[in-house]
Each structure stands twice: as C-alpha cells, then as structure tokens.
Amino acid sequence: MLIAFLTTFNASRKEPLAELLERIHAAFLASGLGEPVVQFSLADSPMPGLTSSVDRVLKRYPELERFVSNASMLPGVPPNRQISNGPVSPAAGEAVAFSTLLAIGAGVPRSFPFHNLSVKFLAPEFGPALPGGGRPGEMAPGVVGDSWWVNGRVRSLAALTIVDADPASKKLPSLPDPVAAVLAACGKAKSTTQVPLAPGPATAPPAAGPSPDSARAVSDVVSDYRARLAEIVDRAALPHDLPSAQERLTDLGQTTGPKKPVLVRAFKPLGYDCRGGTGTFTLRRRTPGNLTVAINLDVGTWSNLLTAGFKVYGLGFTARLPLPVSKRAIQGGQYQIGGAERWQQIVDNLAALVAELDRSFVPAVEAASGPSPEWYKPES
C-alpha cells in the first residue's frame, strides 16, 4: 500500500527566504535529480485595501502578468489575487526562470510582503502522484512556505515522500539515495507523519491493519464508549470532584506556571512520553500490537483554556474519545484551567481516566482491529 510521509523541518526567519530557496534548489542539482519542476504561488491578502505585492512584482516583472488569477489557495478559503503556475492559474504548469523566483524571494517581506507564499520543488523520484492530484493546496516534495500571521512572518519547510510499503514487512523500503540527500539538505527534521493512501501496484493484499469488517468493529467500540462515557468516568474514580465548565468560566486571571512537569510526573508512570509546550502537548505510547495511543492537550496560549482528546491510531483508522476533566464537565469543550493547584487536580483526573481507558478501551480497540505493522508510526 502507498504510504505518504510528511516531514517538517526546522525553518528560521533568520535565514533569508532567497537563501533557503537556493539551498533546496542546489540540493536537487547536487543529488543528481536534475532541474526540479517548480510550482509557486505568491498571494496577496484577501482583505481589501492592503498593499498589493502582486502589483509590485508585476511592475518589476510585467512578463508574469499571464500567471495572475483571483482564486482560492485552499478549499473553503476566500479567493485572493495571486501569481501562480499551479492548478488555479491561467498559465498552469508553465515555467518561470528560477533566477526570477530568487529575486522575488530576496524582496520578501520588505519589498514584497505577500500574505502567503509557497514554492514546491517537484521530482518523480519522491513518489507517485497523490490520488486526485492537482488540487489547490496539495502538498508536494520540498515545500517552502512564508506567510503573514498575527505575530509576524511564519517560515515553514516540509517534504512529502511516498513509498509502496508491504504491511507484512517489519521495515519500510528505503528512499532513493538522491531523495535522501535532498531531505538531508533540508536540515533537522521536527516531525514526520505517516498517512496511508491506497494499495500500491506492487503490494500483495494487506497482511496487517484492519479489514473493512474490523474497521467497523473499531467504530462500534468507539460508539459504545462514547455512549457510556459517564459510566467510564465513574469507573475511573477520579480523585477530584471538579466543577462544570460553565462554573469554571468565572475563574479568570490565574496562571499555572510551567505545565509540562506536572504532566510528566502523572503520565510517565503510565508509559507516556510528553512533547510540546506553550499552547499544546502530546503524550504518546505504543501498544504490543503496534498501535499508537495519543493524548492531545490544547491549553491555549493566552486563554488558559483546556481541550483534551484521546486517540488510538492504527493502520487505516483512528479511534477518538473526548477526555472530560470531571463527571460534571462530561459534555466536553473548553475548560478554564485556573491556577497551579487546579492544574494539578485536572492532570490527576486526566491521568486516572487515561489509566481506565488504557485498561479497557485500548485493548478493546486492539482486539477489534488486529495488529498494525511494526513500521507504522503515525507521528514521530
């Protein structure tokens, strides 16, 4: 089956955008892949009345007029004026001299403060085309991004590779050496996400991962636990009787101090590691059947509000449950954290509920789904 790997790399605004583009382009040439196909999108803000970077670029490079359109970069996003050779462009697929893109990149953001900018370096060695390819916003190998956000410019760098994997094998096939060389030139990887796509042309029928019947069985397990969530919370014997979310909304203006040490103390004995900080945390562990259990906590940045979820990932499915902090907050949603003492109580309750889910829900999902391949790790 085809497995997509989305790897995100550390990208710093301290490295000028043009230097980053040139570094990735040079890596393609040095690897032996040759000149990559370059797909670009340089977009103004959808908000009216702001400075148009498109107009500024056209004044300097009038030959780019044929690439201008007013279209949406992503489904559901308002259209905005952009210079692009992507699927929505009237000059889709046409090339522009890479030196021109470098010159434009050198002007970002002072001369050309584009609201969103992306440059995609494409080569067939990175894997077969995604099913339904050619859609706006689709990921592609070697994506460089630069966009405006509330706290200034945001720089991103990611790579998409696709391999044809055998679920019965213990290991994934290696990437071609030239592709590995390009990824190495991208820098230090922050995370990698695996996404199953479809059966590949060279693979036998899956020997691991859920069949349609077992996928339905997993769904039945999730539905059962959601319907009995109040009973599960009672069974977990939460140590603190915390108020409802509505009551907690009046408890504003308090701070907790560092949140991660409390999480580590509570969840490390349960086998979970803890990643993240500031606004989000993810705690994970692996099961004997190669499923990944993840606890996702969004604690806000300035809001001090908690949203918690429990997930079990296997090849081809994700089983999700909410994590209420108390029986009186079982309806879910955001919960006001309050001060350090209350944060400790919230974490104590979450740890007790997770221990119960680890004892009952996770084995039920694993029994319904069967094992996943050893190599399947949805996030790393």
Side-chain angles (χ1 to χ4, degrees), residues 37-204:
V37 173
V38 180
Q39 189 180 99
F40 58 88
S41 178
L42 319 171
D44 281 340
S45 170
M47 300 293 292
L50 299 179
T51 299
S52 172
S53 296
V54 169
D55 286 343
R56 289 186 175 185
V57 167
L58 293 179
K59 187 174 181 180
R60 190 173 301 183
Y61 304 101
E63 68 274 15
L64 298 183
E65 179 70 46
R66 71 185 190 278
F67 294 96
V68 176
S69 66
N70 191 55
S72 176
M73 296 182 70
L74 291 168
V77 175
N80 52 349
R81 197 156 174 254
Q82 58 186 281
I83 302 172
S84 174
N85 67 345
V88 299
S89 170
E94 294 188 24
V96 168
F98 187 69
S99 58
T100 300
L101 293 177
L102 280 182
I104 294 172
V108 176
R110 292 193 176 184
S111 299
F112 308 129
F114 286 105
H115 188 75
N116 283 291
L117 177 151
S118 72
V119 179
K120 305 178 182 181
F121 297 91
L122 311 177
E125 288 81 1
F126 279 75
L130 288 172
R135 296 168 296 185
E138 180 186 88
M139 283 294 299
V143 177
V144 178
D146 186 276
S147 61
W148 180 89
W149 197 238
V150 291
N151 60 347
R153 306 301 298 185
V154 176
R155 182 68 50 75
S156 60
L157 175 61
L160 182 73
T161 55
I162 299 174
V163 301
D164 189 2
D166 181 358
S169 175
K170 293 184 177 182
K171 294 183 178 181
L172 289 163
S174 299
L175 293 172
D177 289 343
V179 173
V182 171
L183 298 187
C186 289
K188 183 178 180 180
K190 291 197 300 183
S191 64
T192 299
T193 302
Q194 293 182 21
V195 181
L197 296 176
T203 39

Side-chain angles (χ1 to χ4, degrees), residues 247-266:
E247 293 174 90
R248 294 296 301 157
L249 288 175
T250 63
D251 188 9
L252 304 173
Q254 298 189 50
T255 58
T256 64
K259 294 182 174 69
K260 188 172 184 177
V262 180
L263 291 170
V264 171
R265 285 196 299 270

Side-chain angles (χ1 to χ4, degrees), residues 229 243-247 322 324 326-335:
L229 191 56
S244 69
Q246 287 72 24
E247 293 174 90
S326 76
K327 188 171 183 180
R328 288 196 277 170
I330 203 134
Q331 72 278 2
Q334 293 183 315
Y335 193 88

Side-chain angles (χ1 to χ4, degrees), residues 99-372:
S99 58
T100 300
L101 293 177
L102 280 182
I104 294 172
V108 176
R110 292 193 176 184
S111 299
F112 308 129
F114 286 105
H115 188 75
N116 283 291
L117 177 151
S118 72
V119 179
K120 305 178 182 181
F121 297 91
L122 311 177
E125 288 81 1
F126 279 75
L130 288 172
R135 296 168 296 185
E138 180 186 88
M139 283 294 299
V143 177
V144 178
D146 186 276
S147 61
W148 180 89
W149 197 238
V150 291
N151 60 347
R153 306 301 298 185
V154 176
R155 182 68 50 75
S156 60
L157 175 61
L160 182 73
T161 55
I162 299 174
V163 301
D164 189 2
D166 181 358
S169 175
K170 293 184 177 182
K171 294 183 178 181
L172 289 163
S174 299
L175 293 172
D177 289 343
V179 173
V182 171
L183 298 187
C186 289
K188 183 178 180 180
K190 291 197 300 183
S191 64
T192 299
T193 302
Q194 293 182 21
V195 181
L197 296 176
T203 39
S211 66
D213 288 342
S214 62
R216 282 191 293 270
V218 170
S219 179
D220 290 343
V221 171
V222 173
S223 298
D224 173 57
Y225 271 76
R226 282 181 175 270
R228 297 188 299 112
L229 191 56
E231 173 192 331
I232 305 305
V233 172
D234 276 340
R235 202 162 64 200
L238 307 187
H240 307 288
D241 182 22
L242 299 181
S244 69
Q246 287 72 24
E247 293 174 90
R248 294 296 301 157
L249 288 175
T250 63
D251 188 9
L252 304 173
Q254 298 189 50
T255 58
T256 64
K259 294 182 174 69
K260 188 172 184 177
V262 180
L263 291 170
V264 171
R265 285 196 299 270
F267 285 95
K268 187 175 181 179
L270 300 179
Y272 288 86
D273 64 5
C274 181
R275 299 184 185 183
T278 311
T280 61
F281 295 94
T282 301
L283 300 100
R284 294 193 190 94
R285 71 176 182 88
R286 295 273 284 180
T287 75
N290 301 315
L291 306 188
T292 297
V293 185
I295 303 163
N296 299 113
L297 304 177
D298 187 332
V299 297
T301 48
W302 59 83
S303 65
N304 206 32
L305 293 168
L306 170 70
T307 304
F310 188 85
K311 299 178 182 178
V312 182
Y313 296 95
L315 185 63
F317 75 90
T318 304
R320 297 178 173 87
L321 287 179
L323 279 180
V325 302
S326 76
K327 188 171 183 180
R328 288 196 277 170
I330 203 134
Q331 72 278 2
Q334 293 183 315
Y335 193 88
Q336 186 68 43
I337 294 173
E341 181 181 359
R342 184 64 80 185
W343 173 241
Q344 181 67 63
Q345 293 174 333
I346 289 171
V347 173
D348 290 344
N349 279 7
L350 291 176
L353 180 53
V354 166
E356 171 58 31
L357 294 175
D358 281 347
R359 186 192 67 79
S360 58
F361 177 69
V362 175
V365 170
E366 196 162 44
S369 69
S372 286

